[in-house]
Amino acid sequence: MKIIFCLLPITLLLLHLHSHTTFASNSHLEGFDHEDDLLPDEHTPNSVKLTDLTQPPPPTPLDPNPLPLYPPQPETPFDYWDEDEFEGIPIIQQQSTSTPKPPLEDPEFTKNATESISESQSHINGNHNVVLKNKKSPSLEILSVTFLILFLINYFTGKRDNEKLALSWATMFATKGSIFDKNFSLLGVADNDDDSPLLLKEGGNVFKFYATGRRYCCGLFATIQLKNRQDLISRFYNFLVSAKDEITFQVYMNDDSMDHVVFALAKKKLAKVMHKEVRDLQKFAGLLSPPTGRKWVTDELVVISESKEVAGDFITEAVLDQVFGDKAFEKFGKDFISMHFTDQHPGTHKKMLFFKFALPSANNMADMTRLVALVPYYIDLIGRYKLSSQARSKAETARVKAAQEAHRELLNARQEALHRRKADRRKMIEEAEAKLSAEALRKKEAKERARQSKKAMPKIKMTRARSKEERILQWNLIFCDDLGEETE
């Protein structure tokens, strides 16, 4: 980032110098003489000022034998005058020898000459403006190239910083002898391969970590979400809006290792948002006030739990002394964001544990050691935890009620979808009928009347008529049955 701020003053200096050189060069353009060259020399004879041509000449005494304006030219059969070669010069048509040519002091001729010179000057000024407008300034090109250079420099430096931060976390907590190595038998995605990478890179600022091989859980999945440092615009945005590097742990608990538990712990603002937006917390849990007569979490945190029993069992003395106490939280809990335990997760896997922490800098990665240690601690605590009979019956009742409400909502959604499909079908039929002709409409109405009349008729059951032999056989069977009853 220091390189970017060093290059910005150099760019502004180049733009400033270029603006001065452009202004100085515009005073003398190619194809135009200097303004001093256009001014007449006072010592040069027969020189004419431009301002004198715009006014009529002073009156002179009339000559009894005036000379013609143009000397007589010999009459030739071919005329090589090109009208497009000279512009602004009045065209004087040839007159017969009997008609005298206008004298020099004729007012009409002087007026035409003045207008022609004015038009010539305006034409020259117009061409001068066109040249100035067509001369492009490379300021936009300089800015574009500078932005591209800054973008490339920021891309490589930001990418390197993100990779360094992710690798520092993996080196601290996922290498041999670290916390996850002692608590999980397999780290990474490869099977017992020391050369396999521990982190999976999914983008310039997203890294994944996987661990498995521990009791009470199927596995652990961690997502490192870093700031988008490789994007120049995002980097400037992060200066205006505070953003943090975060890591989220998702623990997939076994179905038989977790009881009916809904619990969350977060900072005050985030806790209120979670209680409103997270579905299981909204249905089963509520915000708990600090209990009296026992040690509790710091005032910066809020507990969301299904019951006070669950909250009291999960906020242990060891956790308060290590992280969530008043003194410990100031030193070791500054990077804590939230944690959430639930057996009613809306995804495919119901029983989940969530931990969310902020990442410190690469040089201070050891500051979050106690926060990372909470993950295996709560896996063992929840895996061994059992509710009391009273709390269990209350939790089961709440879950049955929630299941009924979910089933009712599903039925309502299906009925709404069915009504919506019927309405769409009815609308399509009406649009199709509107496009039919009168004859087609009459046929359709006749067919509909026939169907309605057939539907209104009483239903008659048709039976096949039996033959004479079938009736005789049936009578014989009935007669035999009666005789058998009489003999008995």
Side-chain angles (χ1 to χ4, degrees), residues 171-226:
T171 304
M172 179 64 66
F173 301 108
T175 54
K176 189 175 182 180
S178 61
I179 294 177
F180 289 108
D181 183 65
K182 294 178 181 178
N183 289 276
F184 292 88
S185 61
L186 179 61
L187 303 180
V189 294
D191 296 334
N192 298 325
D193 190 0
D194 296 336
D195 297 333
S196 63
L198 294 174
L199 298 176
L200 294 177
K201 186 177 180 181
E202 291 192 354
N205 61 329
V206 180
F207 300 86
K208 302 288 187 179
F209 171 74
Y210 180 74
T212 187
R214 181 181 174 83
R215 61 177 181 175
Y216 304 132
C217 68
C218 303
L220 177 143
F221 190 73
T223 303
I224 301 176
Q225 184 75 34
L226 304 178

Side-chain angles (χ1 to χ4, degrees), residues 283-284 344 397-407:
K283 284 187 175 182
F284 301 102
Q344 296 294 318
T397 303
R399 278 151 181 77
V400 170
K401 185 178 179 180
Q404 293 176 355
E405 292 179 357
H407 182 68

Side-chain angles (χ1 to χ4, degrees), residues 370-394:
R370 295 193 180 186
L371 293 177
V372 176
L374 292 174
V375 178
Y377 175 81
Y378 274 107
I379 290 175
D380 292 338
L381 178 61
I382 294 175
R384 294 191 300 262
Y385 181 73
K386 299 297 179 183
L387 287 169
S388 63
S389 59
Q390 183 179 2
R392 182 185 298 276
S393 61
K394 185 178 179 181

